[in-house]
Amino acid sequence: MSQLRLPKRPDLQGESPYGAPQLEVPIRLNVNENPYPPSPQVLESMENSLREALQNLNRYPDRDFLQLRQALSRYLATESKVEIDPENIWAANGSNEVILQILQAFAGPGRVVASFSPTYSMYPEYARDTFSTFVTGQRKPDFSIDLAEVKRVLATHRPSVILLASPNNPTGTALQKAELEEILQLTRNTGPQQEAENGELLPTCTLVVVDEAYGEFRREDTPSALQLLKNYPHLVVCRTLSKAFGAAGLRLGYLAASTEIIEQIRLIRLPYHLSALTQAAACGALAQSAEQMRQVQQIRSDRDKIVAQLQERGFQSVPSDANFVFFGTFTDRHRIWQGLLERGVLIREVGPDGWLRASVGTPAENTAFLQALKEVSGK
Ligand SMILES: *Cc1c(COP(=O)(O)O)cnc(C)c1O
């Protein structure tokens, strides 16, 4: 064994696996989970679909998961008031896999994937795993997107994909419709040059991926990018059942986009990537979405109360469109994080120095968090 050397990828040297610490703590507000387990109605609906799917477990699952795409289409029509055909929907094991597949299909060696910091820390990993180059521009001090920075990144790097989380993680801020439309206009021919059949070099567009993992928690006046899909064939909107649906354990993410984009993704997907049980459980959950949306409403109003409390106490906290709050600033944020942990409250030390992120929990958990914060920070 001592002579044996594994042929490890040199670019993975020194890397560590991604993941927030999974600690056994009474109050876990660190990974933006929904604090409520599925309701009895949702559970019963999922159990019924699963029982049926189990009877056909000797067969490979539906590769194109038509039933699930129909259920997602119906759900989006209710949630966002946007009609999206099932053929314009694609799903995979969490939006993590959905975004990875987008990069497998549209990025790769010699190509650039761009994003704007601070943002979701998984994006550079998807780029690394698809052998793409990752570049970032900076957001403004209020964490909104800086269009001058977007132009600079597009002109300098000609990215094939840009990733925009909206509502953004960890800041909770969302893109405005006018900003997104401007980005969609700017990206019509900023992608890599590609050789046409006659040998001419032609510019492609940059794919604009809006990651709406927290879309359902957006405030009343914040639009969803889904509204713009009809006019922009280079727009992709990702969603997930992990956050609003309280089904992080299910691993189901999806996207809405033009059929041309979906056809390209179908080329790289594994033949049966979405298990029959995942498909069935997701259909069961979606059948009870009205119930689930009532909970989302509760979380949104609790979130607004926490942001108001934090601001009242003199913290900085940007208004959030997500199910978490981002607040600061602390000269030693690790001390605050540690002090909360000692009081049984786990939050996340993430984003720019001095800031912390806490997920919205149940009302009792939120009270405990705010109380512990008072003890540790003195305000
Ligand atoms: C939580 C999160 C996801 C989620 O991923 P799943 O794989 O669907 O659980 C995607 N994007 C962002 C920005 C997130 O915070």
Side-chain angles (χ1 to χ4, degrees):
M1 189 69 197
S2 62
Q3 268 95 332
L4 193 66
R5 288 168 67 88
L6 294 174
K8 294 179 187 169
R9 268 172 53 182
D11 59 316
L12 294 181
Q13 197 164 6
E15 298 277 282
S16 36
Y18 174 86
Q22 291 189 308
L23 305 176
E24 279 305 320
V25 172
I27 299 177
R28 282 181 288 179
L29 305 177
N30 66 328
V31 288
N32 304 338
E33 290 156 334
N34 189 315
Y36 305 103
S39 71
Q41 291 103 296
V42 175
L43 278 182
E44 194 190 327
S45 176
M46 290 171 92
E47 280 165 8
N48 290 340
S49 329
L50 281 168
R51 195 169 300 113
E52 208 180 304
L54 282 168
Q55 284 161 8
N56 296 307
L57 212 55
N58 55 317
R59 301 293 176 192
Y60 279 111
D62 174 5
R63 260 198 312 259
D64 293 311
F65 41 95
L66 282 178
Q67 261 195 317
L68 174 58
R69 287 159 100 172
Q70 282 158 2
L72 289 166
S73 164
R74 280 194 297 273
Y75 167 67
L76 290 178
T78 319
E79 197 277 331
S80 297
K81 317 269 182 299
V82 184
E83 300 285 339
I84 294 169
D85 285 344
E87 63 169 10
N88 291 107
I89 292 174
W90 179 255
N93 296 284
S95 42
N96 274 246
E97 187 180 48
V98 171
I99 302 173
L100 185 71
Q101 289 180 335
I102 295 170
L103 299 196
Q104 287 177 320
F106 290 97
R111 294 193 155 194
V112 172
V113 176
S115 194
F116 298 88
S117 299
T119 192
Y120 190 37
S121 40
M122 276 302 291
Y123 294 157
E125 301 217 0
Y126 306 143
R128 181 200 69 195
D129 295 346
T130 56
F131 306 94
S132 322
T133 302
F134 187 73
V135 304
T136 49
Q138 284 304 309
R139 286 170 180 258
K140 291 188 199 164
D142 67 356
F143 307 125
S144 63
I145 289 284
D146 182 346
L147 286 170
E149 236 339 54
V150 174
K151 286 182 196 165
R152 182 188 67 77
V153 166
L154 292 172
T156 317
H157 300 287
R158 302 201 73 88
S160 47
V161 180
I162 60 176
L163 299 172
L164 301 168
S166 176
N168 185 40
N169 180 4
T171 61
T173 47
L175 272 170
Q176 295 311 307
K177 192 172 176 188
E179 293 171 324
L180 179 56
E181 285 211 83
E182 175 141 15
I183 294 170
L184 287 162
Q185 291 295 350
L186 287 171
T187 45
R188 300 182 80 92
N189 52 22
T190 49
Q193 312 263 3
Q194 221 159 36
E195 204 172 321
E197 271 157 36
N198 63 2
E200 201 185 342
L201 270 187
L202 294 177
T204 59
C205 63
T206 299
L207 220 64
V208 177
V209 177
V210 180
D211 179 357
E212 290 193 348
Y214 303 97
E216 286 94 339
F217 298 106
R218 69 193 184 277
R219 289 170 299 163
E220 208 76 7
D221 299 333
T222 305
S224 164
L226 291 168
Q227 294 171 355
L228 295 174
L229 275 173
K230 264 207 169 61
N231 300 334
Y232 296 98
H234 62 312
L235 170 63
V236 181
V237 184
C238 301
R239 291 271 185 115
T240 177
L241 297 198
S242 292
K243 310 284 162 59
F245 252 85
L250 178 59
R251 309 307 302 133
L252 191 95
Y254 56 102
L255 64 76
S258 60
T259 47
E260 203 179 343
I261 290 177
I262 290 173
E263 282 311 303
Q264 200 64 19
I265 292 173
R266 287 179 71 212
L267 300 176
I268 55 80
R269 60 114 174 85
L270 294 172
Y272 303 101
H273 71 288
L274 210 50
S275 112
L277 300 183
T278 304
Q279 295 182 35
C283 286
L286 287 161
Q288 293 294 326
S289 58
E291 165 75 13
Q292 214 60 41
M293 289 308 107
R294 271 191 287 281
Q295 244 175 34
V296 165
Q297 191 46 45
Q298 163 88 38
I299 294 170
R300 288 163 86 207
S301 88
D302 291 345
R303 167 205 60 206
D304 293 341
K305 285 182 208 155
I306 300 173
V307 171
Q309 267 273 328
L310 290 169
Q311 289 175 342
E312 242 166 69
R313 293 194 196 172
F315 293 106
Q316 284 188 60
S317 184
V318 276
S320 170
D321 279 291
N323 67 338
F324 53 83
V325 297
F326 194 54
F327 64 103
T329 55
F330 305 100
T331 41
D332 183 359
R333 71 170 170 183
H334 186 72
R335 184 185 71 81
I336 304 291
W337 180 86
Q338 187 70 42
L340 289 170
L341 184 59
E342 282 157 15
R343 287 161 180 78
V345 182
L346 178 62
I347 65 166
R348 191 82 186 271
E349 204 178 346
V350 69
D353 197 27
W355 292 80
L356 291 165
R357 190 193 73 194
S359 318
V360 178
T362 62
E365 289 174 331
N366 300 334
T367 305
F369 156 63
L370 287 166
Q371 175 59 31
L373 182 63
K374 183 172 274 172
E375 289 172 22
V376 177
S377 73
K379 49 179 194 179

